[in-house]
């Protein structure tokens, strides 16, 4: 457990209080490090799978690595709201199990530390995790999703990057091929070739010395100057037309317009609890928005519930010399089932508002059961029924 404890000199010193603070800080650090490691590992795995879609979009639209990094950063909060609670549960179970393996739990019990004394620093870490979950749910996730949707819309609408790639043939639509020799800032291009074969019987080829990409109220336009139009007429006859200035409509090649209706993951809490939309889709989904808002408010309760589950499964019951691996698995399985129950209730509350109360009630009920087990008001599922369980203070002696 590190360096031996040495009592400092001075008036007002309480050895027992100082020892308790050192132990609390030690337990806090021992849980914090695995938590940070789990968050980093889980985030890397999930982000790698999710970033492939963004990478495909960035490559196909001719965007830079900086754009890919920005989009990845914006989508990160929506991943962390699931990763952070799961990583915290794994860290707490790992910490308490390691304490058992190293006989540190027995030493703490022999020193007069009760179960709540051991769980107190874990609850303090749970408070920080709950605050992080609330920050992600209430601000960072909707902010990131809004920014990402806006950026994706702008990328898909950036015709200069998708259609006019310098020195490359592009196909923005089936039957249409575009080539530009050089592109400069401000939308100016030179050496333009546009082959329109969408009407297979009468293909048209546009060639121009230079051009300019502009926007109007009707949509984007390519203004070509000093060029020629070649069109295949009936019976294969080639018609040629020289022009000084020709406007080519690019509206059909724009990406789909941005949706005016915001999805639930793009809305802040006031927009979820009191949706003001007037479209048919928003009216139909009002129940979903309200249920999602209450689900976000209830999610910070689960880090505390996970600490209580860990205490009920690993700090109670008869001492076992065979280890606590199966208790760790059982605690993780129960926590997963309870969390899925909360998700299921939130989903059902979208159509049955009376169930919204149960979104908060589920973590409270199961948290109360875990507290009762830790306190000894309810029997532990790991008690040896062949003989009475030893009192809490005797756990360390039995372990020794």
């Amino acid at each position: 457990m590190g360096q031996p404890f040495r009592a400092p000199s001075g008036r007002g010193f309480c050895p027992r209080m100082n020892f308790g603070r050192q132990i609390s800080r030690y337990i806090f650090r021992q849980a914090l490090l695995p938590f940070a490691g789990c968050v980093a590992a889980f985030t890397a795995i999930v982000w790698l799978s999710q970033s492939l879609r963004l990478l495909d979009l960035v490559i196909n639209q001719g965007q830079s690595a900086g754009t890919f990094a920005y989009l990845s950063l914006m989508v990160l909060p929506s991943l962390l709201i699931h990763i952070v609670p799961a990583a915290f549960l794994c860290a707490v179970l790992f910490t308490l199990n390691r304490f058992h393996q190293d006989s540190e739990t027995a030493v703490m019990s022999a020193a007069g530390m009760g179960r709540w004394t051991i769980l107190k620093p874990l609850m303090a870490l749970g408070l920080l995790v709950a605050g992080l979950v609330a920050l992600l749910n209430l601000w960072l996730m909707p902010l990131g999703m809004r920014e990402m949707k806006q950026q994706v819309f702008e990328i898909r609408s950036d015709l200069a990057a998708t259609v006019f790639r310098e020195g490359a043939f592009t196909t923005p639509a089936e039957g249409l091929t575009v080539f530009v020799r050089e592109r400069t800032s401000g939308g100016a291009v030179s050496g333009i070739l546009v082959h329109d074969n969408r009407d297979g019987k009468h293909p048209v080829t546009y060639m121009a010395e230079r051009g300019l990409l502009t926007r109007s109220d009707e949509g984007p336009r390519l203004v070509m100057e000093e060029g020629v139009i070649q069109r295949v007429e009936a019976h294969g006859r080639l018609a040629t037309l020289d022009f000084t200035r020709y406007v080519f409509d690019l509206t059909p090649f724009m990406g789909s317009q941005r949706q005016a209706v915001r999805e639930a993951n793009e809305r802040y809490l006031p927009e979820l609890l009191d949706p003001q939309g007037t479209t048919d889709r928003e009216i139909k989904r009002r129940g979903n928005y309200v249920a999602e808002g209450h689900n976000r408010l209830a999610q910070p309760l689960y880090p505390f519930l996970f600490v209580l589950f860990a205490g009920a499964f690993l700090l109670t019951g008869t001492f076992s010399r065979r280890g606590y691996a199966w208790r760790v698995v059982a605690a993780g399985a129960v926590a997963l089932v309870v969390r899925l129950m909360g998700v299921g209730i939130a989903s059902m509350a979208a159509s049955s508002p009376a169930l919204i109360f149960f979104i908060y009630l589920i973590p409270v009920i199961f948290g109360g059961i875990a507290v009762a087990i830790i306190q000894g008001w309810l029997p532990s599922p790991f008690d040896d029924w062949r003989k009475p369980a030893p009192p809490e203070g005797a756990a360390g002696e039995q372990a020794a």
Side-chain angles (χ1 to χ4, degrees), residues 191-345:
I192 305 170
L193 171 70
V194 179
H195 181 67
D196 188 354
N197 194 34
R198 289 173 293 175
D199 183 0
K201 296 181 179 180
H202 305 287
V204 182
T205 301
Y206 305 85
M207 292 178 287
E209 288 293 329
R210 58 187 176 274
L212 181 66
L213 181 65
T214 62
R215 289 185 178 273
S216 64
D217 295 338
E218 293 77 17
R221 301 288 189 268
L222 174 62
V223 181
M224 294 183 284
E225 298 178 354
E226 303 297 334
V228 61
I229 301 176
Q230 296 180 345
R231 178 183 176 88
V232 177
E233 301 289 352
H235 308 293
R237 188 172 63 89
L238 182 64
T240 302
L241 174 65
D242 295 330
F243 63 85
T244 303
R245 189 172 184 270
Y246 184 85
V247 179
F248 189 80
D249 185 11
L250 296 173
T251 303
F253 316 117
M254 289 188 63
S256 57
Q257 296 294 321
R258 178 177 47 185
Q259 296 180 348
V261 178
R262 293 193 182 278
E263 299 295 336
N265 57 6
E266 300 175 64
R267 293 173 176 255
Y268 294 103
L269 186 63
E271 299 172 305
L272 291 172
L273 298 180
D274 186 22
Q276 300 293 331
T278 57
T279 64
D280 292 339
R281 182 178 181 185
E282 288 178 308
I283 293 174
K284 291 179 180 179
R285 294 182 61 86
R286 280 181 179 175
N288 299 77
Y289 297 148
V290 175
E292 172 64 18
H294 287 282
N295 185 46
R296 290 190 192 179
L297 290 175
Q299 286 189 28
L301 297 176
Y302 283 91
F304 302 107
L305 181 63
F306 293 160
V307 174
L308 296 176
F309 278 163
F313 279 73
L314 297 178
L315 296 181
T316 65
T318 307
F319 175 77
S320 175
R321 298 183 182 276
R322 298 180 180 179
Y324 289 80
W326 66 282
R327 293 195 188 188
V328 172
V329 174
V334 171
L336 176 61
V337 170
V338 173
R339 188 66 191 96
L340 291 178
M341 288 177 59
V343 173
I345 290 295

Side-chain angles (χ1 to χ4, degrees), residues 5-10 13 18:
F5 171 73
R6 296 179 180 177
S9 59
F13 169 68
N18 191 64

Side-chain angles (χ1 to χ4, degrees), residues 301-302 305 308-309 338 341 357-373 378:
L301 297 176
Y302 283 91
L305 181 63
L308 296 176
F309 278 163
V338 173
M341 288 177 59
F357 176 70
F358 290 91
I359 295 177
Y360 304 95
L361 192 60
I362 284 181
V364 171
I365 289 177
F366 284 94
I369 295 174
V371 169
I373 294 175
L378 289 178

